[in-house]
Amino acid sequence: MEKLVLAIDLGGTKTKVGLVTLSGRVSHRTYLSTRSYAHSKAALIVALVESCNKLLQDYNVSKNSICGIGIGLPGPIDYAKGVVNFLPNIPHWERVPLKEIIQKKLKVPTFIDNDVNLITLAEWKYGAGKGAKNILGMTLGTGVGGGLVVDGNIYRGASFSAGEIGHMPINESGPVCNCGGSACLESYVGNNAILKQARRIFKKPDITLEQLSAMAGREKDRRAIKLWQEVGKKIGIALAGAINLLNPERIIIGGGVANAGIFLFAAIRKTVSLRAMPTQRAAVKIVPAKLGDDAGLIGAMLLVKEGLKLKG
Amino acid sequence: MEKLVLAIDLGGTKTKVGLVTLSGRVSHRTYLSTRSYAHSKAALIVALVESCNKLLQDYNVSKNSICGIGIGLPGPIDYAKGVVNFLPNIPHWERVPLKEIIQKKLKVPTFIDNDVNLITLAEWKYGAGKGAKNILGMTLGTGVGGGLVVDGNIYRGASFSAGEIGHMPINESGPVCNCGGSACLESYVGNNAILKQARRIFKKPDITLEQLSAMAGREKDRRAIKLWQEVGKKIGIALAGAINLLNPERIIIGGGVANAGIFLFAAIRKTVSLRAMPTQRAAVKIVPAKLGDDAGLIGAMLLVKEGLKLKG
């Protein structure tokens, strides 16, 4: 019987639960609305456990075939202790020993980590980072997240919080950021910052990022193009710093905003070519993510493999 | 007979040559003026080789006791091939296969690397970084250099150029930097940038960094203190970005400017406490380097140990 991982990708809005083979195929999946349970930590945990059990039942999968549970969460995680430090976009989650809680309830070895770490790991193993040794993964969304793979392992840092490219300052002073700092990349190019600018420029209070992308791509609206170019420039400046510091082989950019397409990527690459040092610049490729929505689940499977020291 | 490493720390002005024990003690040393030979690459190489031979002769050390030669150089190095890519402050050094040249002339296994990588390695093993797993080393001088130790190894990156904290942009636009970028940290806090500002403020065309440090430290000159605080703030902003990205355990700051003392370090720490993320900030200590002038030689010994896969 093929061994499987129960993978959970907990998002601020939606949570994905899936069964993933050890070779990286998501064989079955289900979703639950995080928002519906966000009022209570206990309710969300119960919903997660029920989703897992239901997935196994619905597809007639024996618990014996599950070698581990992997969970990605949108916030800083104490990987070693298996504790969620806090979740910026889901209230009541502070110092939650989720690894232990889930392990007790489901009786399967459980591992938890930051979601962008897992996405980066998945892209490295099966996606846009395949074959590269050192990778910076980046997700553009409400938050701007990041993850690092160094020599084929997630690099977590001294307190398991490495990779926060979204919180590199790109100016000496600037807008106050959710993290408490100021002039962080995220405070300029997080979804809310982009939408705020778009509403101002186009005088449309309900404009969406999809519309903004379409306006640049299909309609060639000059103001929309300029807005995406400005976003790309700011991302490029933070990346130039990260490239000079880390000399990565590949930078992988995913998340909703990454779909803004050629104007965004062109501006990022142009800025990096102007601002990064020659040796580092020549060594790096900046590419869009490949695995899309499944990356988090696949990464959660890889986390379990890492935790159980399974080969391959 | 105790085994020794012939260590060379090639600087823009002065070059140190020393004999270093495998336990990190510099037993003998000599100096040569890099400037006197900077007109010709060949002349400098001959001078290096002669210095090595003379050191062995003068102290009656047999070549058999030398297990390797380690060389640190102030520029980007192709560590794997043993080639100096270029040296920003010493002309004519482009694509020089120095490892092979020295190995042929002295018949001893030779390893070369960037000087700040070696300083960081030495501080990690014997100095201010002892006991820490992940370190960012930083040197403040004409250039602002950096090196990374990850899990006890130099992290070199895809083309052996990682660590360049001096070339993280701290503004979207700003002064053009020697590296070709703009608004890099170095373009604000490299020695020349500091002196330029000091000359303007104090109307002294020949003011030195030592005087500027004394004016702040002993004389409590408010303008001098403010200048160092401004330098510290800028360093702190770049470090906040590096801390959020790398979550290091320790940051070690050396080089001449680091001697500016408490005002500088206080401003760096204050800025980091305002700008870095809580989890990363709590995990990092920012400390002055400990090994002083010997760090480069000791690091060159550790490079040889790494290259020859010697334990300890």
Side-chain angles (χ1 to χ4, degrees):
Chain A
M1 190 170 45
E2 191 181 19
K3 285 282 177 185
L4 297 166
V5 164
L6 246 171
I8 300 175
D9 182 5
L10 195 139
T13 311
K14 194 172 81 172
T15 293
K16 294 163 223 158
V17 182
L19 289 165
V20 187
T21 69
L22 297 186
S23 56
R25 193 172 56 85
V26 181
S27 65
H28 302 93
R29 73 196 89 200
T30 183
Y31 302 91
L32 68 102
S33 157
T34 316
R35 287 262 169 82
S36 309
Y37 302 97
H39 60 282
S40 143
K41 192 179 67 187
L44 183 50
I45 291 174
V46 168
L48 288 178
V49 171
E50 282 176 359
S51 283
C52 288
N53 282 329
K54 193 162 179 310
L55 194 67
L56 296 178
Q57 272 172 22
D58 284 357
Y59 296 101
N60 202 18
V61 174
S62 149
K63 216 185 215 176
N64 291 331
S65 63
I66 304 298
C67 61
I69 299 172
I71 310 177
L73 300 115
I77 306 298
D78 185 327
Y79 164 80
K81 294 197 181 122
V83 171
V84 179
N85 290 333
F86 65 94
L87 300 178
N89 296 309
I90 310 178
H92 318 303
W93 283 73
E94 265 144 50
R95 307 286 316 149
V96 180
L98 188 65
K99 176 190 169 89
E100 204 185 307
I101 292 171
I102 297 290
Q103 231 163 223
K104 268 196 187 153
K105 288 191 191 276
L106 286 169
K107 314 255 182 290
V108 178
T110 301
F111 302 91
I112 73 174
D113 204 346
N114 173 269
D115 54 0
V116 189
N117 278 358
L118 300 186
I119 288 170
T120 306
L121 195 57
E123 289 287 347
W124 167 75
K125 185 79 181 168
Y126 298 111
K130 230 168 144 175
K133 274 181 72 180
N134 301 307
I135 283 175
L136 168 62
M138 185 177 189
T139 55
L140 301 170
T142 309
V144 173
L148 297 169
V149 168
V150 170
D151 290 342
N153 294 302
I154 303 181
Y155 169 76
R156 295 189 174 89
S159 52
F160 315 109
S161 302
E164 292 291 357
I165 179 80
H167 299 278
M168 285 179 69
I170 61 167
N171 280 304
E172 290 188 57
S173 54
V176 171
C177 182
N178 285 332
C179 77
S182 50
C184 293
L185 177 64
E186 180 176 302
S187 66
Y188 296 97
V189 306
N191 285 358
N192 294 333
I194 297 175
L195 285 173
K196 192 174 159 190
Q197 255 200 296
R199 284 193 292 266
R200 194 177 45 73
I201 295 170
F202 297 101
K203 318 259 182 271
K204 280 191 186 173
D206 55 354
I207 192 165
T208 65
L209 289 169
E210 290 69 29
Q211 286 168 348
L212 201 59
S213 295
M215 284 167 81
R218 280 204 301 275
E219 301 164 32
K220 305 274 178 272
D221 180 293
R222 285 185 57 188
R223 291 171 305 169
I225 291 173
K226 209 180 146 212
L227 194 156
W228 286 120
Q229 285 173 333
E230 199 48 46
V231 168
K233 187 186 161 192
K234 288 181 163 71
I235 294 170
I237 288 167
L239 286 183
I243 289 167
N244 289 345
L245 187 62
L246 292 177
N247 189 198
E249 203 171 331
R250 224 164 291 170
I251 291 177
I252 299 165
I253 304 179
V257 168
N259 299 323
I262 56 160
F263 296 107
L264 182 73
F265 271 82
I268 292 173
R269 291 190 183 112
K270 185 182 164 198
T271 305
V272 164
S273 80
L274 291 170
R275 302 290 283 265
M277 299 171 89
T279 314
Q280 286 90 322
R281 190 171 73 208
V284 72
K285 284 200 171 66
I286 300 171
V287 297
K290 266 190 184 167
L291 301 180
D293 252 15
D294 275 347
L297 294 177
I298 297 171
M301 179 278 289
L302 293 169
L303 178 73
V304 171
K305 263 188 157 175
E306 181 202 9
L308 296 176
K309 299 191 179 20
L310 303 177
K311 293 263 161 81
Chain B
M1 189 171 44
E2 192 181 15
K3 284 283 177 187
L4 296 166
V5 164
L6 246 171
I8 300 175
D9 182 5
L10 196 139
T13 311
K14 195 172 79 170
T15 293
K16 294 163 222 157
V17 182
L19 289 165
V20 186
T21 69
L22 296 186
S23 55
R25 193 171 56 84
V26 182
S27 64
H28 303 92
R29 74 196 88 198
T30 183
Y31 302 92
L32 68 101
S33 157
T34 315
R35 288 262 168 83
S36 310
Y37 302 98
H39 60 282
S40 143
K41 192 180 67 188
L44 182 51
I45 292 174
V46 168
L48 287 178
V49 170
E50 281 176 359
S51 283
C52 289
N53 282 327
K54 195 165 176 311
L55 194 67
L56 296 178
Q57 271 171 22
D58 285 357
Y59 296 101
N60 203 19
V61 174
S62 149
K63 216 183 215 175
N64 291 331
S65 63
I66 305 299
C67 61
I69 299 172
I71 310 177
L73 299 114
I77 307 299
D78 185 327
Y79 165 79
K81 293 196 181 124
V83 171
V84 180
N85 291 334
F86 66 94
L87 301 178
N89 295 307
I90 310 177
H92 319 303
W93 283 72
E94 266 143 49
R95 308 285 315 149
V96 180
L98 188 65
K99 176 189 170 89
E100 203 186 308
I101 293 171
I102 297 291
Q103 231 163 224
K104 268 196 186 152
K105 287 190 191 275
L106 286 168
K107 314 257 182 290
V108 178
T110 301
F111 302 91
I112 73 174
D113 204 346
N114 172 270
D115 53 359
V116 188
N117 279 358
L118 300 186
I119 288 170
T120 305
L121 195 56
E123 289 286 348
W124 168 73
K125 185 79 182 170
Y126 299 111
K130 233 169 140 172
K133 274 181 71 181
N134 301 307
I135 284 174
L136 167 62
M138 185 177 188
T139 56
L140 301 170
T142 309
V144 172
L148 297 169
V149 169
V150 170
D151 290 341
N153 294 302
I154 302 180
Y155 170 74
R156 294 189 175 88
S159 52
F160 315 108
S161 302
E164 293 291 357
I165 178 82
H167 299 279
M168 285 178 68
I170 60 166
N171 279 304
E172 288 188 59
S173 54
V176 172
C177 182
N178 286 330
C179 77
S182 50
C184 294
L185 177 64
E186 180 176 302
S187 66
Y188 297 97
V189 305
N191 286 357
N192 294 332
I194 297 175
L195 287 172
K196 192 175 159 191
Q197 256 201 295
R199 283 194 293 267
R200 194 176 45 73
I201 295 170
F202 299 100
K203 317 258 182 270
K204 280 190 187 174
D206 55 355
I207 193 166
T208 66
L209 289 169
E210 290 70 28
Q211 286 169 348
L212 201 60
S213 295
M215 285 168 79
R218 279 204 302 276
E219 302 164 32
K220 306 270 178 275
D221 180 292
R222 285 186 55 188
R223 289 170 306 170
I225 291 173
K226 206 178 148 212
L227 193 156
W228 285 120
Q229 285 173 334
E230 200 46 47
V231 167
K233 187 187 162 192
K234 288 181 162 71
I235 294 171
I237 288 166
L239 286 183
I243 289 168
N244 289 344
L245 188 62
L246 293 176
N247 190 199
E249 202 172 333
R250 226 165 287 171
I251 292 178
I252 298 165
I253 305 179
V257 169
N259 299 323
I262 56 160
F263 296 108
L264 182 73
F265 271 83
I268 292 172
R269 291 190 183 113
K270 186 184 163 195
T271 305
V272 164
S273 80
L274 291 170
R275 302 291 283 264
M277 298 172 90
T279 314
Q280 287 89 322
R281 189 170 76 207
V284 72
K285 283 201 174 65
I286 301 172
V287 295
K290 266 192 184 164
L291 301 178
D293 254 13
D294 275 346
L297 294 177
I298 296 170
M301 179 279 289
L302 293 169
L303 178 74
V304 171
K305 263 188 158 175
E306 180 201 10
L308 296 176
K309 299 191 176 25
L310 303 176
K311 294 264 161 81

